[in-house]
Amino acid sequence: ILQAEWKCKIDGICGMFHAKVNKDTNCLVVGGSLNYEAEMRKARRMKIPIVRKDYLIGCLARKKRLPFDMYKVEMIGEASSMVTI
C-alpha cells in the first residue's frame, strides 16, 4: 500500500498520520523498500516504539490500537520504509 493509502486508512479510523517522527508520534511503522534509518534513529532517541507494518494492518482490521510488543522491530536494518502515527 502506498503512503497516501495508509494516510487515508489511518485518518478513516480517527488516527493521525505524520510524514516524519515528531513529539506527537505514538509509533514508527516500518516496512517496504525505502531507507529511513535516520527516522528510526530519531524514534529510538525519542523512545518511540518502532513496529512492523503488520501492526498497522492489525490495528486497521480490529479498528483499535493494539499493544506494540508483538510487532516491535529490534534491528536497525530489519525494515526500511516507514509510516508514523
Side-chain angles (χ1 to χ4, degrees), residues 11-13 15 17 20 34 37 51 81:
D11 290 346
I13 59 168
F17 176 92
K20 299 275 186 182
L34 298 176
E37 288 184 25
V51 295
S81 166

Side-chain angles (χ1 to χ4, degrees), residues 34-44 76-77 79-80:
L34 298 176
N35 190 345
Y36 288 96
E37 288 184 25
E39 288 300 308
M40 292 175 73
R41 283 192 302 274
K42 184 175 179 181
R44 282 193 170 91
I76 195 157
S80 55

Side-chain angles (χ1 to χ4, degrees), residues 13-66:
I13 59 168
C14 299
M16 199 180 252
F17 176 92
H18 305 279
K20 299 275 186 182
V21 172
N22 65 49
K23 65 180 177 65
D24 296 324
T25 301
N26 293 318
C27 69
L28 174 64
V29 180
V30 296
S33 62
L34 298 176
N35 190 345
Y36 288 96
E37 288 184 25
E39 288 300 308
M40 292 175 73
R41 283 192 302 274
K42 184 175 179 181
R44 282 193 170 91
R45 274 195 313 272
M46 296 173 72
K47 301 199 184 309
I48 294 171
I50 302 170
V51 295
R52 298 182 317 274
K53 70 179 177 181
D54 297 344
Y55 171 77
L56 190 55
I57 292 167
C59 290
L60 292 169
R62 291 177 182 88
K63 295 185 168 102
K64 68 178 188 176
R65 185 193 249 175
L66 300 173

